[in-house]
Amino acid sequence: MCSSDLPSAAGGLVTFTAAQAEEGKATYTRNCADCHGSTLDNGEFGGAPLRGSWFRNKWGNGSVASLYAFTKAKMPPDRPGALSDKVYADLVAYILSVNGYKPGDRELPTDPAAQQPLTLKRD
């Protein structure tokens, strides 16, 4: 990978806290596990896998903003957009943590403009 492919110092790296991911896990269990499963890829009701190769192929070249926007616009299917911006950010943080992204010292922002430079691309 060449240096121009690295995330910029001004942003680029996914950021969320371990506590935020834990909050997201609790919300996931209440709102998402029936469709997506307890392991994020074994749901009873046909929810798309949220981990592993399917997740990497679907979201791995995008930004956090696109994942967040999709989640907020479409989930839960019976009441999309019903959760708060903070709860959607917590859910995304949890999904990212399960997919091997490492927590840091700043929460995942709820502002789409702040999320846009946060890339899901991996080395």
Side-chain angles (χ1 to χ4, degrees):
M1 181 159 94
C2 70
S3 61
S4 64
D5 294 334
L6 294 172
S8 70
L13 296 177
V14 172
T15 178
F16 62 90
T17 65
Q20 186 178 28
E22 281 300 311
E23 288 291 322
K25 181 178 181 179
T27 299
Y28 177 89
T29 300
R30 287 189 306 273
N31 293 281
C32 313
D34 285 348
C35 290
H36 296 283
S38 60
T39 61
L40 285 76
D41 61 1
N42 66 343
E44 289 183 51
F45 302 110
L50 300 176
R51 64 181 283 165
S53 62
W54 192 95
F55 179 85
R56 284 189 305 276
N57 290 334
K58 174 78 174 168
W59 300 106
N61 287 319
S63 72
V64 169
S66 59
L67 175 59
Y68 176 90
F70 178 87
T71 304
K72 185 175 178 180
K74 302 286 186 179
M75 297 293 133
D78 62 339
R79 55 194 199 302
L83 307 174
S84 73
D85 291 348
K86 168 82 167 90
V87 169
Y88 283 111
D90 295 348
L91 281 169
V92 169
Y94 172 61
I95 293 166
L96 295 174
S97 72
V98 170
N99 281 282
Y101 294 86
K102 301 297 180 205
D105 58 358
R106 292 177 304 170
E107 285 200 345
L108 183 71
T110 59
D111 176 26
Q115 294 169 350
Q116 191 59 47
L118 304 178
T119 181
L120 296 174
K121 292 180 183 178
R122 307 281 284 272
D123 294 340

